[in-house]
Amino acid sequence: MWESLSMSGHDPGEQRRRQQQQEQFAESVAGAVRQPASAHTPEYVELATMDSTRSSGDSAQKASAEAALDDASTAVEDAFQQHHVKIEYDGRRFSLKKLWRFVGPGLLVSQALLDPGNIESDISQADSSGYRLLWLLLLAHVLCIFVQSLAARLGVVTGRHLAQHIRQQYPLAMSVVFWLLSELAIVGADIQEVIGTATALHILTTMPIWAGVVVTAVDSFLFLYVQRLGVRVTELVFGLMVTTLAVCFWLEMVLIKPDAGEVIKGMVIPRIPQGSAVQAVGIVGCVLMPHNLYLHSALVGSRKLDRREETREGAIREAMRYFRIETSVSLMYAYLINMSVVVVFCKAFEIMRGEGVPYVASLAEGATVLSHVLGSGSKYVYAVGLLAIGQSTTMTGTLSGQYVTEGFWNMPVKPWQRVFITRGISLVPALAVALTATAHIDLLSEIINVVQAVVLSFTIIPLLKLQAHGEIMGPEFVFGRAARIAAAALTLAIIALNAYMVASVIPLRSAGMYVALVAVVLVYALVLAYTAAFPLRCVWSRRVLVDRAPAGVRWLFGRAALAVGAAPPA
């Protein structure tokens, strides 16, 4: 990096200015490394990577400066790095103009709540439960706001995203497990998105589903061009795609004229219809997406905060407040869209049943249902909305995978490589379903939802453990006792709901199946307990990586005492 700031320019004045900046930065970093470092300070330096055999003072300053720059940067290490939004801290209580500068990460995260898999879940909910689970859909979005705000909080306070923290705090074997589970969730969601987009292309052009799958896999490379235009342009494009979906379904909701009284009653009166327990748990599982936590904790890094010592705490608290507002508005926007999908199909199915016309409640047959109720033009409106959100969610899925891979392996992955790998993996099962029978899409979606539920537990536990770690979050932002109790209760509730959903889809036709179910649940509970009990690996203390766990705990978890790095310079 320093080579790009060397004395190779043509303007002597510019050369002197750059040299002065370089020397000032190196001096500030050299002073910073003489202080105790911690993960919550902007001078956080991964000192284990420094060369202890540095030969001269100048080379030592250069190496220290480069290491500090790498670790003090915020979470984003991609094409957005050249387009970060700088946020100046002025101490004002609230400003709509400043709020606008924080708008974006929550909007990108909201895409996952609207992907074709969630739309299919909305259609299924409309068929089986009508308006009666709208309250639970609202509650799931409120819960999602809380969890996503925690992910954003981690990225804002520490300047590092969730995947980076897990890789640093857990040993290699556990990190590999976390990474594989995360990739499984991302690929599973990508399959749903690819098939959903292919379905939209089939409705618009009569293109075969398998051909639509291939086209969708290829046109995702368009995202590379959008990404090169910068973070604000990317956020604008995604916002337009979400708004396209919103306009399509809100228009159809106005045209179909649902019963407003039933809609309001469904939103405010808690009730679960008989036989809809699995459907109810599935609603929560479809809204809470594990890869969204990785994505959100990374996207907030696109805002460069004023992290000087005198303004650091105020700037971070201000950013957390604005991100909470932005996340809340974005995810409630997603709720209104999901609600409109449920309401539209509730009324459509009611009309179909009243006329005695048979129908199928699925993503592919949604266009047929709407055509019968609202006319042939409605299916194209439906398909345009589905196409827009399908394309945008495939792009955000690629972005999630990029951050996950880079964070776990500290290895930069070029966007085109990530698109190629993700599409290559998801293309095989998507094509298999498209070529064999589209009726299998529902079964595939059910399997993917189960996978997402399992992975979520292994994502939310590290997230909450990190929030409660004082050496990582700092004394100003670490969870207090009440917050820890609430977080533990939330984690147990999510794990219980997900375990119930997983158990409910396993066919129990024999005693052997019951035994297998009990064994799976026990293994799942033990692995989760191990993950929750595993003490976070280390803290940074005066340039030495220290494992503060008791000797018995280190033996139990197979950990050796850590002592990395040299003594700090005098």
Side-chain angles (χ1 to χ4, degrees), residues 173-311:
M174 292 188 69
S175 295
V176 170
V177 172
F178 282 124
W179 173 70
L180 289 174
L181 289 173
S182 303
E183 293 289 353
L184 189 62
I186 292 171
V187 171
D190 194 65
I191 292 172
Q192 291 178 311
E193 292 152 5
V194 168
I195 292 179
T197 308
T199 301
L201 290 173
H202 172 71
I203 296 169
L204 291 171
T205 66
T206 68
M207 179 186 299
I209 296 293
W210 68 266
V213 168
V214 175
V215 170
T216 304
V218 173
D219 69 11
S220 296
F221 284 91
L222 291 174
F223 170 60
L224 306 182
Y225 177 74
V226 175
Q227 192 179 20
R228 290 174 62 89
L229 298 178
V231 63
R232 296 301 276 174
V233 175
T234 303
E235 291 167 352
L236 176 62
V237 170
F238 284 135
L240 290 175
M241 289 185 173
V242 173
T243 302
T244 300
L245 177 67
V247 170
C248 290
F249 275 102
W250 289 351
L251 175 62
E252 293 188 328
M253 185 169 62
V254 171
L255 294 175
I256 207 168
K257 299 177 181 178
D259 188 339
E262 288 297 321
V263 173
I264 295 174
K265 188 187 299 183
M267 291 176 61
V268 300
I269 300 178
R271 49 185 173 162
I272 298 179
Q274 186 176 3
S276 299
V278 176
Q279 177 76 38
V281 175
I283 290 173
V284 179
C286 288
V287 171
L288 292 172
M289 311 289 282
H291 58 278
N292 249 7
L293 302 179
Y294 292 104
L295 179 62
H296 206 171
S297 65
L299 288 175
V300 295
S302 61
R303 271 57 178 178
K304 288 292 188 180
L305 306 182
D306 186 356
R307 294 180 182 265
R308 291 174 299 171
E309 185 65 29
E310 61 271 19
T311 60

Side-chain angles (χ1 to χ4, degrees), residues 112 137 149 214 263 533 544:
L137 185 64
S149 296
V214 175
V263 173
V544 176

